[in-house]
Amino acid sequence: MTMSTVFKLACLQMNSGSDVAANLSTLKQMISTAAGEGAQLVMAPEYALLMDGSGRVMREGSLPADGGEVLRELQALAAQLKLWLLPGSLTLRSDDERIVNRSFLIDDGGHIVASYDKIHMFD
């Protein structure tokens, strides 16, 4: 018996800057487009929502340690579109005010099933 299963993965290419809201809007549109084309897993690049050469800008634009409303929006979108989502990495403020580069894997029900903190930052 042969079995043929198709799995569709979308890898997004972005040119993110320092405007988190604009980057989030672009990311959500790209995720929706990928879902419309049948993607079951969508992956975005590192620093998808905030990328700037200035450490000050990165600190000021970073999200709360839990990802805040931005992460909740991405979880809701994954659930709505019924796809798995790796939204690149998010720039978060740790409890001790350091910057953390964290990736989250969100399942098709909107639940975080894994996370990873990059340990070697660009210091």
Side-chain angles (χ1 to χ4, degrees):
M1 176 167 87
T2 62
M3 191 181 296
S4 175
T5 303
V6 175
F7 178 80
K8 207 162 196 184
L9 164 74
C11 294
L12 307 179
Q13 178 77 27
M14 295 180 65
N15 187 17
S16 302
S18 59
D19 185 337
V20 173
N23 295 329
L24 178 61
S25 177
T26 298
L27 179 60
K28 288 168 64 175
Q29 184 274 322
M30 293 175 81
I31 293 167
S32 295
T33 298
E37 294 177 7
Q40 297 161 278
L41 169 62
V42 177
M43 297 170 43
E46 185 175 26
Y47 292 116
L49 297 179
L50 177 64
M51 185 61 186
D52 194 277
S54 165
R56 179 189 56 80
V57 171
M58 294 293 282
R59 268 186 282 293
E60 289 173 357
S62 62
L63 301 171
D66 68 355
E69 185 58 34
V70 169
L71 181 56
R72 287 187 286 279
E73 282 186 47
L74 293 170
Q75 289 176 267
L77 185 61
Q80 174 192 341
L81 298 174
K82 302 289 186 230
L83 56 74
W84 284 64
L85 176 61
L86 181 71
S89 63
L90 305 181
T91 307
L92 307 176
R93 277 183 311 279
S94 66
D95 293 333
D96 62 359
E97 294 301 311
R98 290 181 307 114
I99 298 269
V100 176
N101 181 13
R102 184 171 296 153
S103 292
F104 294 96
L105 180 61
I106 303 167
D107 71 11
D108 57 0
H111 305 100
I112 296 170
V113 295
S115 65
Y116 172 77
D117 286 359
K118 184 173 182 177
I119 57 175
H120 297 290
M121 300 293 282
F122 304 106
D123 296 336

